[in-house]
Amino acid sequence: MSGIAENLGIIRRRIDEAARRAGRDPAGIRLIAVSKTHSAEQVREAIAAGQCVFGENRVQEAGAKFADLRAEYPALELHLIGSLQTNKAEDAVRHFDVIQTLDRKSLADALSKAIRKTGRTPRLYIEINIGEEPQKAGLTPADLPSFLDYCRERGLKAEGLMCIPPLGQNPEGFFRHMKEMADRFGLTHLSMGMSGDFETAIVCDATEIRVGTAIFGERVK
Ligand SMILES: *Cc1c(COP(=O)(O)O)cnc(C)c1O
């Protein structure tokens, strides 16, 4: 058994256990395998172990890595989880099924244009800077209501929220705040929790967790 298959088995068991502890159905939690910096061969190992949802943070890297894989495995689902430049919006719309990092008006404009041009309609989530950290991407919670209006006026339907809580702090309060916002605005997808904190995210009602290191090992810079 390869390390990746083994790691996936361990993560799936931990998801089941966390769900059970939280009184949730594990089927309501999707595991996104974050394959950024890892090779197409490693992605293949994960696919062989039954994984079909992947996350990447760069449009170009994902396009190159997944072109053949997508043709071979039409059921693959690819999520963009890294920040997106407006000039790459069209490529992102072509390559990804879900874009989790919608966080500003200029990007909403660019995505709206790209969607009309390509006829592709990836699912869109809004990234929230839940710790309101100056160096981080994402909308502040206070800006969410007016941003949702802005998107709606441009024909964009946001269906979820995503966040990366501040490093080195207990994430639970941030995750709970995310859940409240998702409920308040009727956003059904809640993407939160990574290798170090996905069990806490599950307790706080995450519907998608994004796990890289615990599946593929440390990333080489
Ligand atoms: C890299 C990354 C992850 C995965 O992080 P790990 O700690 O390796 O599990 C999750 N979400 C985002 C947005 C990332 O950039």
Side-chain angles (χ1 to χ4, degrees), residues 34 36 81 162 164 194-195 210-213 219:
V34 177
K36 66 188 183 198
I81 60 169
M162 174 279 216
I164 308 173
M194 311 186 357
S195 291
R210 311 177 307 266
V211 179
T213 309
R219 286 178 288 273

Side-chain angles (χ1 to χ4, degrees), residues 61-210:
E61 178 184 342
K65 194 184 300 181
F66 279 86
D68 291 347
L69 290 168
R70 297 273 254 174
E72 235 175 290
Y73 303 98
L76 285 192
E77 188 177 295
L78 196 53
H79 292 234
L80 179 63
I81 60 169
S83 38
L84 177 57
Q85 293 170 271
T86 50
N87 64 0
K88 302 227 172 82
E90 188 178 323
D91 282 343
V93 164
R94 291 188 193 281
H95 287 305
F96 289 90
D97 303 293
V98 182
I99 295 174
Q100 299 205 356
T101 50
L102 173 53
D103 66 350
R104 59 195 190 278
K105 290 177 177 174
S106 58
L107 184 57
D109 294 343
L111 285 171
S112 157
K113 204 167 130 196
I115 287 166
R116 267 182 279 120
K117 180 169 171 191
T118 61
R120 294 210 4 119
T121 51
R123 206 154 75 217
L124 302 175
Y125 303 170
I126 295 173
E127 180 173 0
I128 302 290
N129 184 355
I130 194 66
E132 307 203 28
E133 298 169 278
Q135 81 284 8
K136 255 194 199 157
L139 280 184
T140 61
D143 286 337
L144 179 61
S146 63
F147 187 68
L148 283 168
D149 288 340
Y150 186 89
C151 289
R152 214 172 289 122
E153 284 157 14
R154 275 141 197 88
L156 290 182
K157 187 166 163 263
E159 298 181 59
L161 295 179
M162 174 279 216
C163 79
I164 308 173
L167 211 69
Q169 292 184 42
N170 183 346
E172 186 166 345
F174 298 110
F175 288 158
R176 298 234 180 257
H177 189 184
M178 289 290 289
K179 166 68 175 164
E180 273 170 34
M181 283 189 287
D183 284 351
R184 191 174 336 135
F185 296 104
L187 303 165
T188 50
H189 297 271
L190 191 49
S191 170
M192 54 190 197
M194 311 186 357
S195 291
D197 58 12
F198 70 85
E199 282 140 325
T200 306
I202 288 171
V203 169
C204 298
D205 276 335
T207 63
E208 289 169 14
I209 59 172
R210 311 177 307 266

Side-chain angles (χ1 to χ4, degrees), residues 49-71:
Q51 180 64 29
C52 63
V53 187
F54 293 88
E56 285 279 341
N57 66 342
R58 288 168 184 277
V59 176
Q60 254 166 324
E61 178 184 342
K65 194 184 300 181
F66 279 86
D68 291 347
L69 290 168
R70 297 273 254 174

Side-chain angles (χ1 to χ4, degrees), residues 12-51:
R12 289 191 189 116
R13 269 197 302 282
R14 286 173 59 189
I15 293 171
D16 284 357
E17 281 163 22
R20 208 147 288 134
R21 280 198 304 276
R24 298 185 56 192
D25 180 355
I29 300 147
R30 286 163 61 76
L31 171 61
I32 302 174
V34 177
S35 50
K36 66 188 183 198
T37 77
H38 298 291
S39 68
E41 285 63 44
Q42 287 169 295
V43 171
R44 273 181 198 283
E45 287 189 44
I47 294 171
Q51 180 64 29

